[in-house]
Amino acid sequence: MNKGIRTVIAVAGVLALTGGAWLTLGPEKIIALVGSVTGDWVGDWVGAAKPLGGAGPGGGGPGGAGPGGFAMAVEAGPVRVGAVAREVTAVGSLISRESVIIRSELAGRIAEIAFAEGTAVHKGEVLLRLDDSIPRATLAQAQASLALSRAEAARADELFGKGSGTASARDKAQAKLLVDQAELALDRAKLDKLTLSAPFAGIVGLRKISVGDYVKEGQDIVNLEAIDSLKLDFSVPEAYLPVVRTGQTLAVVVDALPGRSFPGEVMAIDPKVDVNGRSVMIRAKVNNADQALRPGLFARVTLRLTVNPNALLVPEQALMAMGSDQFVFKVVEGKAKQTRVKIGARRNAEVEIVDGLAAGEMVVLAGQIKLREGMAVTVQPSAKP
């Protein structure tokens, strides 16, 4: 009769004879009884299988290898020491270091446009001029009136000194002189304001006017942006407020320039917390010497808060979660030791261990799901770096 058929018949017969004895005798004795009936390979299979389920009689204790038993083969690696930066990510918007819309304080007709759109200009460089024919005539009139006032004031003062003039006449002449001086200064200021210059060095945008247009007071003419360095506004949750400082470094990436990262530095922190989002607004400075970045771009920010140069690191696959706790299996004198750990930052498939391990200790990286406390293990080097 075939061995397999004979074994099935034997098992069925034993089960029928023993009935509820399965719970009393236990699986090992029942299988041994089956082996005695079949008389060959089942008994050998039972003996070989005992170490998988734990120690048999006279074994090495709970979870250990049985007599002549085996050690579970696992991959393991040492706890390494490395630098870990605690970081927070956010999104923000780039804005110009300086930004202004050029507007005229006086109404007038545009006589000259002295800039080319989208080009760089220097501080103080003339951008455009308004028609100044009437203001120049008014200025000349004020100069003539001032000259007359000076002469009258001098004559009144001379007559008063000789006793021929009155103090009242002298005072009126002096007052007229002061008024004419103020009128001249006012007309000169109005004339100067008809010439618009760049308040700082930057790049002019697209103009909204043409030569001959009549502009009103405060009308938009052209925008001027300083973009050799940019400002970056972003917010972080209020929980990070105690660890955010001016001078901290950050990295900025934008979707428009994939593959590039731009360094920055925190320059100011808003003292007010946003009550709606419970966040803190931060302003950083980003170098833009090559002018690759432009104001208004959407930016992704990685802010470095602190750096721990001596952090303990293990691969993520070493961790086993049990409820809210994290565990690893250490290899101690050839046996598995389950250890609770406290974790910190995660980065590049590694986890910082804050408490529970020491540098150089071996931790199981693969095969730990089959391990039990105290089980003998054979360490194989990890296949992953």
Side-chain angles (χ1 to χ4, degrees):
M1 182 184 295
N2 183 282
K3 285 185 177 182
I5 297 175
R6 187 176 62 185
T7 301
V8 172
I9 295 174
V11 172
V14 170
L15 291 177
L17 292 173
T18 57
W22 176 273
L23 299 176
T24 304
L25 298 177
E28 291 185 0
K29 290 183 178 181
I30 296 299
I31 295 174
L33 181 58
V34 173
S36 66
V37 174
T38 57
D40 44 21
W41 54 276
V42 175
D44 296 336
W45 177 79
V46 172
K50 283 181 181 180
L52 293 174
F70 67 87
M72 177 73 72
V74 295
E75 291 184 9
V79 178
R80 78 176 191 90
V81 177
V84 171
R86 300 187 183 278
E87 300 172 334
V88 58
T89 58
V91 295
S93 298
L94 292 168
I95 58 178
S96 301
R97 176 176 58 84
E98 300 291 347
S99 176
V100 68
I101 296 178
I102 304 298
R103 298 181 176 95
S104 175
E105 296 183 46
L106 301 176
R109 192 171 303 280
I110 296 176
E112 178 188 0
I113 296 177
F115 66 89
E117 296 170 292
T119 60
V121 296
H122 302 291
K123 181 179 180 179
E125 184 176 336
V126 174
L127 300 179
L128 74 158
R129 292 184 175 90
L130 300 181
D131 180 26
D132 60 359
S133 55
I134 294 178
R136 284 190 181 278
T138 304
L139 178 63
Q141 184 180 7
Q143 289 173 334
S145 179
L146 178 61
L148 178 60
S149 297
R150 283 200 181 102
E152 290 179 347
R155 188 178 303 109
D157 189 62
E158 181 182 356
L159 291 175
F160 179 77
K162 292 180 179 181
S164 302
T166 64
S168 176
R170 184 197 61 176
D171 293 344
K172 288 180 180 179
Q174 289 292 336
K176 180 66 167 59
L177 175 60
L178 294 176
V179 170
D180 287 345
Q181 286 176 340
E183 289 287 347
L184 179 63
L186 178 60
D187 291 337
R188 184 174 286 119
K190 288 181 178 179
L191 181 63
D192 292 341
K193 289 184 180 296
L194 296 178
T195 300
L196 304 184
S197 304
F200 51 83
I203 298 177
V204 289
L206 307 180
R207 56 186 171 91
K208 301 174 177 61
I209 45 81
S210 297
V211 174
D213 279 345
Y214 183 87
V215 295
K216 299 178 181 179
E217 298 92 336
Q219 181 177 332
D220 294 354
I221 295 176
V222 68
N223 61 305
L224 176 64
E225 313 287 337
I227 62 172
D228 53 331
S229 66
L230 298 177
K231 296 175 184 177
L232 172 64
D233 287 353
F234 63 98
S235 60
V236 298
E238 62 181 359
Y240 291 100
L241 184 59
V243 293
V244 175
R245 298 285 185 274
T246 56
Q248 289 175 330
T249 59
L250 51 88
V252 181
V253 296
V254 296
D255 294 341
L257 299 170
R260 291 193 62 178
S261 178
F262 299 86
E265 180 180 328
V266 175
M267 59 183 296
I269 302 171
D270 196 327
K272 182 180 179 181
V273 176
D274 182 11
V275 296
N276 295 320
R278 301 299 177 187
S279 58
V280 181
M281 183 62 68
I282 298 175
R283 175 164 290 178
K285 178 175 62 177
V286 180
N287 185 36
N288 190 35
D290 61 354
Q291 298 184 0
L293 298 173
R294 292 303 173 98
L297 284 177
F298 174 81
R300 305 180 193 276
V301 188
T302 302
L303 173 62
R304 176 169 293 184
L305 301 175
T306 59
V307 178
N308 181 7
N310 299 310
L312 301 179
L313 301 171
V314 298
E316 285 185 329
Q317 64 264 30
L319 295 178
M320 296 180 64
M322 296 184 184
S324 60
D325 297 325
Q326 297 284 347
F327 293 85
V328 299
F329 273 105
K330 295 194 300 186
V331 178
V332 181
E333 297 180 353
K335 293 186 177 182
K337 179 177 178 60
Q338 192 176 39
T339 305
R340 177 183 294 159
V341 294
K342 183 178 180 181
I343 65 174
R346 295 175 182 258
R347 62 141 177 88
N348 300 331
E350 287 186 313
V351 183
E352 178 188 11
I353 302 299
V354 178
D355 185 43
L357 294 177
E361 289 185 317
M362 297 294 292
V363 295
V364 178
L365 305 180
Q368 64 266 50
I369 195 171
K370 300 179 181 179
L371 292 181
R372 297 293 181 269
E373 176 72 20
M375 182 179 289
V377 295
T378 299
V379 174
Q380 297 179 350
S382 174
K384 298 181 180 179

